[in-house]
């Protein structure tokens, strides 16, 4: 927290000792949480990136499901309905459709 901000906040509450005590207690607890968060952080370089890599949506769904998603879209199913059905975001559906369209263009 910015020191000037904290000083201004404390001075605003200095006439109300009941509120000042509560404010100091909250500040103390926030400091403890902040220190605990810093202890839990790890360097990106120290973790096994391959093991923790998130699967892309196409890998999650599988080739068969992606092909079905594209076919359903071509048949008139909306992006929102496809996203709900496959439990992915609408932007992920749009990305899969765009990738499929690019692959079709390159193949022809």
């Amino acid at each position: 927290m910015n020191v000037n901000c904290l000083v201004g906040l404390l001075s605003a509450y200095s006439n109300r000792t009941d509120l000042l005590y509560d404010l100091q207690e909250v500040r103390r607890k926030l400091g403890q949480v902040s220190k605990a968060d810093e202890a839990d952080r790890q360097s990106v370089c120290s973790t096994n990136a391959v093991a923790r890599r998130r699967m892309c949506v196409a890998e999650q769904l599988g080739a068969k499901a992606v092909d079905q998603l594209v076919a359903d879209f071509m048949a008139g199913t909306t992006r929102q309905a496809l996203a709900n059905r496959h439990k992915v975001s609408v932007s992920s559906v749009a990305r899969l459709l765009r990738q499929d369209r690019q692959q079709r263009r390159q193949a022809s």
Side-chain angles (χ1 to χ4, degrees):
M1 179 177 261
N2 185 345
V3 175
N4 292 334
C5 179
L6 184 59
V7 169
L9 196 57
L10 289 174
S11 66
Y13 284 91
S14 63
N15 293 332
R16 299 274 317 267
T17 56
D18 57 326
L19 296 178
L20 180 61
Y21 175 76
D22 292 340
L23 185 62
Q24 288 172 335
E25 185 65 19
V26 168
R27 182 181 171 271
R28 184 185 65 77
K29 288 180 180 178
L30 284 173
Q32 290 172 348
V33 170
S34 178
K35 289 177 186 173
D37 285 347
E38 288 175 11
D40 290 340
R41 292 184 187 152
Q42 296 178 354
S43 169
V44 175
C45 297
S46 67
T47 61
N48 185 353
V50 175
R52 302 188 108 186
R53 182 179 73 89
R54 290 178 54 198
M55 293 176 61
C56 72
V57 177
E59 289 174 342
Q60 280 179 315
L61 296 177
K64 198 173 191 179
V66 172
D67 291 342
Q68 185 61 49
L69 183 144
V70 171
D72 290 345
F73 180 75
M74 297 294 221
T77 307
T78 64
R79 288 181 175 97
Q80 183 67 53
L82 292 169
N84 292 340
R85 183 180 306 157
H86 293 280
K87 296 182 174 89
V88 296
S89 68
V90 175
S91 62
S92 293
V93 170
R95 185 173 43 257
L96 290 171
L97 294 170
R98 185 173 50 252
Q99 289 169 351
D100 179 73
R101 190 170 50 246
Q102 288 172 349
Q103 288 173 355
R104 289 176 195 253
R105 284 182 187 160
Q106 290 174 354
S108 55

